[in-house]
Amino acid sequence: GCFYRFFVGSFYQPLDSIEQYFGEKVAFYFAWLQHCSSYLIFLSVAGFIVTVCQLSSGQWDHPIRPFYSMIIMLWSFFALVGWRQRQNELKYRWNNMDHKEQETT
């Protein structure tokens, strides 16, 4: 039903159709959202485990927090490297190897 549609819609986007209709700029935006959604699953599970540990011990400064910080640091590295790979794959698929990323400030 509705939950299935929301869940599948968060992790699967028809990127080729979006690129053909709206262009690569909009398609890269949806690809970025899809990429972040899939990578955030792991981080949310790790955060939930840390929260359970904190609540069960009654301590805010639980000994697991430094390890969680390391997990976040490694996660951010792998998420960015994974995005670069995914972005290059999409550039090649859409025959757009001269696409330049624009930073918004």
Side-chain angles (χ1 to χ4, degrees):
C2 185
F3 180 73
Y4 175 78
R5 187 172 169 192
F6 173 76
F7 188 75
V8 170
S10 297
F11 299 106
Y12 171 75
Q13 301 291 329
L15 296 176
D16 292 328
S17 299
I18 293 171
E19 190 271 333
Q20 289 175 358
Y21 191 78
F22 293 106
E24 68 269 350
K25 190 173 182 180
V26 174
F28 274 118
Y29 172 75
F30 280 99
W32 169 250
L33 290 178
Q34 180 182 13
H35 179 78
C36 282
S37 296
S38 62
Y39 270 78
L40 282 172
I41 291 172
F42 171 75
L43 200 59
S44 64
V45 170
F48 180 74
I49 291 169
V50 170
T51 302
V52 167
C53 290
Q54 288 175 331
L55 291 175
S56 66
S57 70
Q59 297 178 354
W60 174 251
D61 290 331
H62 194 275
I64 201 170
R65 285 182 70 195
F67 297 107
Y68 181 62
S69 299
M70 294 293 287
I71 287 172
I72 291 175
M73 181 185 68
L74 291 171
W75 173 87
S76 64
F77 172 76
F78 286 114
L80 288 176
V81 168
W83 170 244
R84 290 285 179 210
Q85 291 174 347
R86 178 73 172 141
Q87 188 178 32
N88 287 332
E89 174 188 309
L90 291 173
K91 285 180 191 178
Y92 182 76
R93 184 191 319 174
W94 296 333
N95 197 20
N96 189 15
M97 295 303 287
D98 60 344
H99 175 76
K100 298 291 183 209
E101 207 174 291
Q102 292 181 352
E103 283 190 28
T104 56
T105 57

